[in-house]
Amino acid sequence: MESQMKVLVTVKEVAVVQDGFEIAGTEIDDTYLSYDLNEWDNYAVEEAVQLAEAGDDVEVVAVTIGPERSEETIRAALAKGADRAVRIWDDAIADAELLDVETKAQLLGTVVEREEPDLVLSGVQANDDNFGATGVALAEEVGFQWAAVVNALDTGNVLEEGVASVRRELEGGVEELTDIDLPAVLTIQTGINEPRYASLRGIRQAQSKEISTWTIGDLGLTEDVAESSLNITAMYKPESESDAEYFDGDADKQAAQLADILRDKEVVAE
Amino acid sequence: MTVFVVADHRRGDLRDVSFELLTAGRELADAAGTDLHAAVISGDTDAFADKLNREGVDAIHVVDYGEEFNHDVYAQAATSLVENLGVDFLVVPNSVNGLDYAPAVASRVDWPYVSDAVDLGYVDGTLEITREMYGSKVETTVAIDDGPVVVSIRGAEWPPAEGDGDAVVSTFDADIDEDTVGSTVTGFEEADGGDVDISEAEFLVSIGRGIEEEENLELVEELVDVTDAILSSSRPVVDNGWLPENRQVGQSGKQVAPDVYLAIGISGAVQHVAGMKNSDTIIAINTDPNAPIFDIADYGIVGDLFDVVPELIEQFGGTPPDI
């Protein structure tokens, strides 16, 4: 049975750096890293699930590029309402220092070609590498239309007209209203919705949902897809440029000094 | 060899980053010993070309097609420029529009793409791009050995180009294929105005992720009350729906420049700083001594807002709420 619509949502497990971290060479030691679902992707998952809830028969498939550890992140998406998931991983990917945009677009593109979704939702950017390019590059790879930095999507138009009517969040509080033909990739901005927390029932159900794991070979690609022309040659903590005057002491002393400044600047009347 | 920059404009005006691109492009062109060309696509191209004709620009190409930004038009035009004019480095803004077409151009011409550069260097034939990772906690240098690249630059990292130029201005026929334009811009809207204009305030108390819970807003509301300040916020507070959009300071919110900006529990991400760095006096309260907000602060308190703000309320004769 063909579903009314299929939505693919790309999710990424991102590394979060702990305070006091150390850099060794061009890497941060694993002991200073924890892992979480990319903030932007959390909104993309929610948007996909809301589409599924608004439609009669909408299938939501989550796809990630990540090691076995990232299944925890994928399960989080499944617990929120995605129907099943695809995880791409390969030794050749593990060996790559930096996955460039083209690599991600090719890997995800192969999944798009197999799954044939009507709509792909992808976070605008990732907390860790901050590239902000995967969604648009993926659209280009598979010949879909696209829109970047979407902060509103008209669900009804997607389901009934096959058109994505979106708002793109431009700088300075201005929004662009744009219609995009499907199939399309939308890159989702934070704030587009209120991401839910997974319910206990959702978490339980997620345990039995399917996660298929594909290697580069399974996707019909060769290992050179993971090759990159980008090299990270240095990694360092940015030098603090602070020349602030700091207020020391306990909170009451700090507050007293701050209050003096506010009075001095005449922004607070006594 | 040529360094090629593509200007950014909206609703009749070139955006500031367009002039910063000229500076970044000229520096790279000098280091690589090449010319700097600029392109402007759509809109009032003659007027735009005139304004972009600043010192150090060797040539300007105008693509006269449509009024406003459309990513299909930009992607086609930029690809055609790259393929026909011997471009080696395509430098574009890491703006919302840059995000919407630059990755597509890189893919079409099969060049690597590196986004959000804060510095560019060219050493012995290698382009070195400085960019941030992990929410500005780390800077990296990304090197591209040989061959061309598409790179986007962060706004406000380079000064705007100045001085009159003597660039040759010419029209470029990008031969846009209308059948492949699958997106239609139907209009623009300003974000909700609401009752308060934070850009007019003299004293802003601004709250960020550090507030943790919606209920805790009561604490800063009391501070705002006793000091007659106006309340604003960084993005996460608005994303959570705790404050309306018209309170958001930053790249996608309002630009503000009050006499005093008191940033409470705001880390100072670049998008936020872009909206408030012109404030006369900046004071920051944050638990993380390495928070980037301290880089631009005049006064700093490294401490917990839940300790400091109640004391501050008492300084002005108020009573901190129980939270």
Side-chain angles (χ1 to χ4, degrees):
Chain A
M1 227 336 247
E2 189 90 343
S3 58
Q4 177 197 4
M5 172 169 273
K6 189 189 278 189
V7 181
L8 200 73
V9 54
T10 66
V11 296
K12 184 182 183 192
E13 177 201 70
V14 291
V16 181
V17 175
Q18 306 303 310
D19 287 344
F21 68 94
E22 303 282 342
I23 295 169
T26 56
E27 279 181 344
I28 296 172
D29 192 278
D30 229 16
T31 54
Y32 299 103
L33 299 177
S34 60
Y35 296 92
D36 202 355
L37 172 61
N38 178 35
E39 187 179 349
W40 282 264
D41 296 344
N42 193 24
Y43 288 88
V45 169
E46 177 64 32
E47 201 63 21
V49 172
Q50 287 188 11
L51 261 171
E53 288 169 346
D56 291 333
D57 182 18
V58 179
E59 185 182 27
V60 177
V61 181
V63 55
T64 196
I65 303 170
E68 196 170 353
R69 183 192 60 225
S70 67
E71 293 210 353
E72 200 176 324
T73 304
I74 280 268
R75 292 270 177 223
L78 293 171
K80 286 164 189 267
D83 296 296
R84 59 186 172 86
V86 174
R87 180 172 71 85
I88 303 165
W89 197 241
D90 199 286
D91 289 344
I93 302 174
D95 290 343
E97 183 182 38
L98 180 71
L99 285 189
D100 69 14
V101 175
E102 188 59 22
T103 301
K104 292 183 210 173
Q106 285 184 36
L107 292 171
L108 296 171
T110 314
V111 175
V112 168
E113 277 157 7
R114 293 186 177 201
E115 294 282 348
E116 298 184 332
D118 303 281
L119 188 64
V120 179
L121 303 180
S122 181
V124 167
Q125 63 188 70
N127 295 95
D128 53 2
D129 67 11
N130 186 35
F131 253 84
T134 304
V136 173
L138 171 60
E140 182 63 30
E141 178 76 25
V142 297
F144 280 22
Q145 303 298 326
W146 73 85
V149 195
V150 169
N151 73 350
L153 170 66
D154 185 331
T155 310
N157 268 9
V158 171
L159 294 168
E160 285 147 33
E161 313 288 338
V163 172
S165 298
V166 305
R167 286 169 182 261
R168 293 183 56 234
E169 181 191 273
L170 306 179
E171 295 87 353
V174 178
E175 294 177 347
E176 178 198 282
L177 283 60
T178 301
D179 289 341
I180 300 116
D181 300 337
L182 298 187
V185 179
L186 307 180
T187 78
I188 300 297
Q189 176 62 304
T190 59
I192 187 174
N193 51 40
E194 289 183 34
R196 71 194 65 197
Y197 292 98
S199 64
L200 283 173
R201 185 162 164 268
I203 292 167
R204 210 162 46 236
Q205 284 176 340
Q207 295 307 317
S208 57
K209 288 179 179 172
E210 175 198 343
I211 302 179
S212 11
T213 307
W214 292 352
T215 63
I216 288 175
D218 295 339
L219 292 170
L221 299 169
T222 53
E223 284 189 2
D224 55 13
V225 71
E227 284 172 10
S228 174
S229 45
L230 312 182
N231 305 298
I232 297 182
T233 55
M235 180 179 282
Y236 47 93
K237 297 183 185 183
E239 277 177 38
S240 172
E241 293 159 9
S242 178
D243 50 8
E245 180 185 325
Y246 286 91
F247 303 142
D248 297 325
D250 293 337
D252 58 336
K253 290 214 179 70
Q254 292 174 320
Q257 295 173 81
L258 173 48
D260 284 343
I261 296 292
L262 295 178
R263 291 186 191 106
D264 191 44
K265 300 284 175 192
E266 297 179 349
V267 291
V268 186
E270 230 351 76
Chain B
M1 277 175 76
T2 311
V3 174
F4 210 98
V5 303
V6 181
D8 216 24
H9 62 85
R10 178 181 312 144
R11 299 161 99 190
D13 290 315
L14 285 166
R15 300 188 61 249
D16 292 347
V17 72
S18 299
F19 301 102
E20 297 155 18
L21 276 164
L22 297 178
T23 304
R26 186 65 255 170
E27 286 177 9
L28 179 57
D30 285 344
T34 73
D35 284 348
L36 171 65
H37 290 211
V40 57
I41 302 166
S42 308
D44 188 353
T45 47
D46 289 343
F48 290 155
D50 202 38
K51 288 187 177 131
L52 290 167
N53 200 342
R54 297 200 174 173
E55 207 175 319
V57 184
D58 296 300
I60 299 174
H61 307 269
V62 305
V63 177
D64 198 5
Y65 187 96
E67 282 305 307
E68 290 293 344
F69 174 83
N70 175 296
H71 67 239
D72 292 311
V73 173
Y74 266 61
Q76 280 191 48
T79 302
S80 184
L81 285 160
V82 164
E83 286 173 345
N84 289 290
L85 296 177
V87 177
D88 301 278
F89 303 107
L90 181 68
V91 187
V92 301
N94 196 55
S95 59
V96 174
N97 285 346
L99 289 171
D100 203 26
Y101 77 94
V105 177
S107 176
R108 285 179 198 185
V109 299
D110 200 17
W111 291 359
Y113 174 61
V114 181
S115 66
D116 206 23
V118 297
D119 200 9
L120 297 174
Y122 189 78
V123 183
D124 300 332
T126 299
L127 179 65
E128 295 186 340
I129 299 163
T130 306
R131 61 191 308 280
E132 294 179 345
M133 285 178 70
Y134 305 107
S136 305
K137 286 185 176 171
V138 167
E139 276 189 6
T140 58
T141 306
V142 177
I144 298 174
D145 287 339
D146 52 352
V149 62
V150 179
V151 58
S152 74
I153 67 161
R154 180 179 291 181
E157 290 291 328
W158 281 264
E162 303 196 1
D164 291 335
D166 52 5
V168 180
V169 180
S170 56
T171 301
F172 181 82
D173 182 5
D175 200 16
I176 304 293
D177 179 1
E178 289 189 31
D179 292 342
T180 64
V181 178
S183 62
T184 312
V185 179
T186 58
F188 293 95
E189 265 181 37
E190 308 281 339
D192 293 343
D195 51 338
V196 174
D197 186 357
I198 57 171
S199 61
E200 297 289 320
E202 285 178 8
F203 178 28
L204 280 175
V205 169
S206 206
I207 190 72
R209 214 187 275 267
I211 197 69
E212 294 173 359
E213 305 279 343
E214 187 171 14
E215 300 87 84
N216 298 340
L217 273 180
E218 216 181 304
L219 183 64
V220 279
E221 279 163 355
E222 180 61 22
L223 176 64
V224 163
D225 216 36
V226 295
T227 57
D228 276 333
I230 301 287
L231 182 61
S232 59
S233 80
S234 64
R235 175 166 199 125
V237 177
V238 171
D239 277 351
N240 284 334
W242 299 344
L243 285 176
E245 271 180 41
N246 63 334
R247 301 280 180 159
Q248 185 182 325
V249 173
Q251 202 168 65
S252 53
K254 287 266 171 62
Q255 303 271 329
V256 300
D259 294 345
V260 174
Y261 188 88
L262 175 56
I264 302 176
I266 291 176
S267 66
V270 58
Q271 294 85 351
H272 182 75
V273 169
M276 46 65 76
K277 61 171 186 259
N278 293 325
S279 305
D280 284 351
T281 300
I282 297 168
I283 308 172
I285 303 173
N286 206 293
T287 50
D288 177 5
N290 297 316
I293 192 74
F294 289 121
D295 289 352
I296 57 154
D298 301 291
Y299 301 96
I301 291 178
V302 177
D304 189 336
L305 73 93
F306 296 106
D307 296 329
V308 178
V309 173
E311 296 287 350
L312 195 55
I313 291 170
E314 288 187 6
Q315 283 286 328
F316 293 101
T319 310
D322 283 331
I323 53 165

